[in-house]
């Protein structure tokens, strides 16, 4: 196995060199805006199963080379990436939901009365550095749409066989936006194992970086689309004189005034997150619509284990390539999956 690992490592290095060369070649040919957004450094926040923060941080370090900050607010980790690593972040096995951090306040000073605190939240909306996180949100959205399109093409080719004469019934339910529920292609999940796929994903993200600027500008000139949004507030701590609903309402009102977006609690394009834990506040923009633990298992029973949790447990076992793994839980086989 030692030789095998060496071969894999050499292949990986070679691939990384090639990818790096491709990026450099692209940069030379592209105009300014492309390379600007390409070198965008952002902080990503991820929710993880409680108690597995360290395990998830180890995975991020191993696969992305980023060091992780584990939040005091349990079940959250933060790490810095450059935007071309966005696809890899979606491939992490131990994370549930992802968001891009707009700003973090480590020791926010709350005023004495509820009215003053809520007034501060209103004023906060206009002072935040929204532009880079929104660029990341745009790239993330166009990336998700492309992935969904590919998934649909793949499904359609196999659909006739599945129908069994049941007419027009399609196999996967779709939500309002036409995204299939199993958002991540299974082949995208093989990112780390398959070099060809690694290259394809890098190309996908490269295309998004190149096209997000041009496409959006053209569209905005002809049809300025009003984005729909909602604010979700998560609050933990004893000493707050306001509820999470009040904070979301007042902060949301100010975000609406600032961007002229339309508030919509169910059918939204952008979800702004306001996470408050004691005196720590993090404002973010969501990058996932539903937890990534749903990407592997399509049907959840009352006792189905989350795949992110199963991965965390396996990671704690530190299995080696030749090990035989037994899942003694005799059920859906969630741990090996």
């Amino acid at each position: 196995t030692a030789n095998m690992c060496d071969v894999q490592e050499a292949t990986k290095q070679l691939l990384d060199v090639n990818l790096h060369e491709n990026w450099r070649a692209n940069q030379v040919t592209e105009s300014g805006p492309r390379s600007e957004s390409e070198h965008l450094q952002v902080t990503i926040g991820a929710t993880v199963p409680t108690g597995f923060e360290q395990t998830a941080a180890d995975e991020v370090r191993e696969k992305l080379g980023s060091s992780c900050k584990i939040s005091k607010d349990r079940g959250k980790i933060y790490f810095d990436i450059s935007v071309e690593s966005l696809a890899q972040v979606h491939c992490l096995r131990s994370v549930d939901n992802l968001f891009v951090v707009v700003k973090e306040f480590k020791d926010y000073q709350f005023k004495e009365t509820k009215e003053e605190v809520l007034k501060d939240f209103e004023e906060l909306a206009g002072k935040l550095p929204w532009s880079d996180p929104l660029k990341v949100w745009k790239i993330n959205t166009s990336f998700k749409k492309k992935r969904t399109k590919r998934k649909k093409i793949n499904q359609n080719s196999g659909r006739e066989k599945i129908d069994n004469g049941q007419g027009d019934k399609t196999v996967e339910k779709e939500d309002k936006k036409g995204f299939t529920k199993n958002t991540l292609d299974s082949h995208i999940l093989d990112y780390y194992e398959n070099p060809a796929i690694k290259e394809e994903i890098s190309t996908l993200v490269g295309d998004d970086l190149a096209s997000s600027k041009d496409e959006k500008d053209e569209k905005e000139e002809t049809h300025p689309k009003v984005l729909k949004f909602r604010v979700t507030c998560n609050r933990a701590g004893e000493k707050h004189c306001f509820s999470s609903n009040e904070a979301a309402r007042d902060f949301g009102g100010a975000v609406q005034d600032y961007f002229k977006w339309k508030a919509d609690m169910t059918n939204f394009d952008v979800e702004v997150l306001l996470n408050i834990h004691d005196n720590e506040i993090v404002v973010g923009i969501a990058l996932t619509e539903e937890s990534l633990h749903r990407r592997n298992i399509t049907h959840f029973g009352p006792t189905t284990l989350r795949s992110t949790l199963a991965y965390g447990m396996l990671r704690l076992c530190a299995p080696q390539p030749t090990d035989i793994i037994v899942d003694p839980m005799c059920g859906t086989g969630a741990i090996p999956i």
Side-chain angles (χ1 to χ4, degrees), residues 236-249:
E238 304 297 310
K239 302 189 288 291
H240 303 132
C241 58
F242 57 91
S243 72
S244 54
N245 280 346
E246 290 165 330
R249 182 196 62 208

Side-chain angles (χ1 to χ4, degrees), residues 241-265:
C241 58
F242 57 91
S243 72
S244 54
N245 280 346
E246 290 165 330
R249 182 196 62 208
D250 289 30
F251 183 67
V255 169
Q256 187 173 18
D257 292 344
Y258 182 71
F259 285 110
K260 303 290 179 266
W261 289 342
K262 188 171 180 286
D264 190 324
M265 301 311 278

Side-chain angles (χ1 to χ4, degrees), residues 169-194:
K169 284 185 187 165
T170 51
V171 180
E172 283 198 57
K173 289 181 185 155
E174 296 187 7
D175 66 11
K176 286 182 199 130
K177 296 189 189 164
F179 285 152
T180 51
K181 277 296 179 200
N182 191 358
T183 328
L184 269 171
D185 277 296
S186 56
H187 79 256
I188 282 188
L189 296 172
D190 298 333
Y191 181 93
Y192 295 100
E193 288 77 39
N194 187 330

Side-chain angles (χ1 to χ4, degrees), residues 64-265:
L64 296 174
S66 300
S67 60
C68 249
K69 182 176 141 290
I70 294 169
S71 170
K72 283 184 282 198
D73 188 4
R74 294 186 68 190
K76 288 194 183 67
I77 59 171
Y78 298 97
F79 49 92
D80 295 334
I81 60 154
S82 60
V83 78
E84 64 261 33
S85 305
L86 197 57
Q88 288 158 290
V89 177
H90 279 272
C91 297
L92 292 169
R93 304 307 244 142
S94 49
V95 299
D96 282 319
N97 280 297
L98 299 167
F99 56 96
V100 55
V101 173
V102 177
K103 194 163 173 66
E104 177 186 18
F105 301 91
K106 285 194 168 54
D107 189 21
Y108 187 91
Q109 295 304 311
F110 290 103
K111 301 270 172 61
E112 293 299 305
T113 70
K114 187 191 333 193
E115 288 70 34
E116 287 176 302
V117 173
L118 295 175
K119 186 97 185 73
D120 277 355
F121 281 151
E122 276 182 43
E123 284 168 14
L124 185 62
K127 298 177 189 163
L128 296 172
W130 293 102
S131 94
D132 283 357
L134 278 169
K135 278 182 203 162
V136 174
W137 172 83
K138 270 185 185 174
I139 291 167
N140 190 68
T141 307
S142 59
F143 176 58
K144 274 200 305 203
K145 280 181 185 157
K146 279 190 184 154
R147 217 161 36 196
T148 309
K149 232 181 255 172
R150 287 178 177 222
K151 184 161 184 61
K152 281 189 177 165
I153 292 163
N154 295 344
Q155 274 176 356
N156 288 338
S157 59
R159 237 174 215 168
E160 298 86 61
K161 298 171 197 163
I162 305 169
D163 275 359
N164 307 336
Q166 291 175 359
D168 298 329
K169 284 185 187 165
T170 51
V171 180
E172 283 198 57
K173 289 181 185 155
E174 296 187 7
D175 66 11
K176 286 182 199 130
K177 296 189 189 164
F179 285 152
T180 51
K181 277 296 179 200
N182 191 358
T183 328
L184 269 171
D185 277 296
S186 56
H187 79 256
I188 282 188
L189 296 172
D190 298 333
Y191 181 93
Y192 295 100
E193 288 77 39
N194 187 330
I197 285 162
K198 187 167 183 173
E199 209 143 320
E200 186 193 346
I201 289 184
S202 300
T203 316
L204 248 177
V205 177
D207 293 347
D208 288 339
L209 288 167
S211 65
S212 63
K213 185 99 186 98
D214 321 329
E215 283 174 18
K216 293 288 185 304
D217 286 356
E218 285 165 24
K219 276 181 199 162
E220 274 159 19
E221 279 160 28
T222 48
H223 303 289
K225 182 188 179 230
V226 177
L227 290 177
K228 296 176 186 167
F229 84 107
R230 81 166 185 195
V231 171
T232 305
C233 175
N234 291 305
R235 186 187 65 83
E238 304 297 310
K239 302 189 288 291
H240 303 132
C241 58
F242 57 91
S243 72
S244 54
N245 280 346
E246 290 165 330
R249 182 196 62 208
D250 289 30
F251 183 67
V255 169
Q256 187 173 18
D257 292 344
Y258 182 71
F259 285 110
K260 303 290 179 266
W261 289 342
K262 188 171 180 286
D264 190 324
M265 301 311 278

Side-chain angles (χ1 to χ4, degrees), residues 1-14 192 319-323:
T1 59
N3 292 348
M4 193 61 202
C5 291
D6 294 348
V7 172
Q8 281 173 341
E9 187 52 36
T11 315
K12 183 174 171 293
Q13 280 172 2
L14 189 65
Y192 295 100
Q320 298 308 304
T322 53
D323 289 354

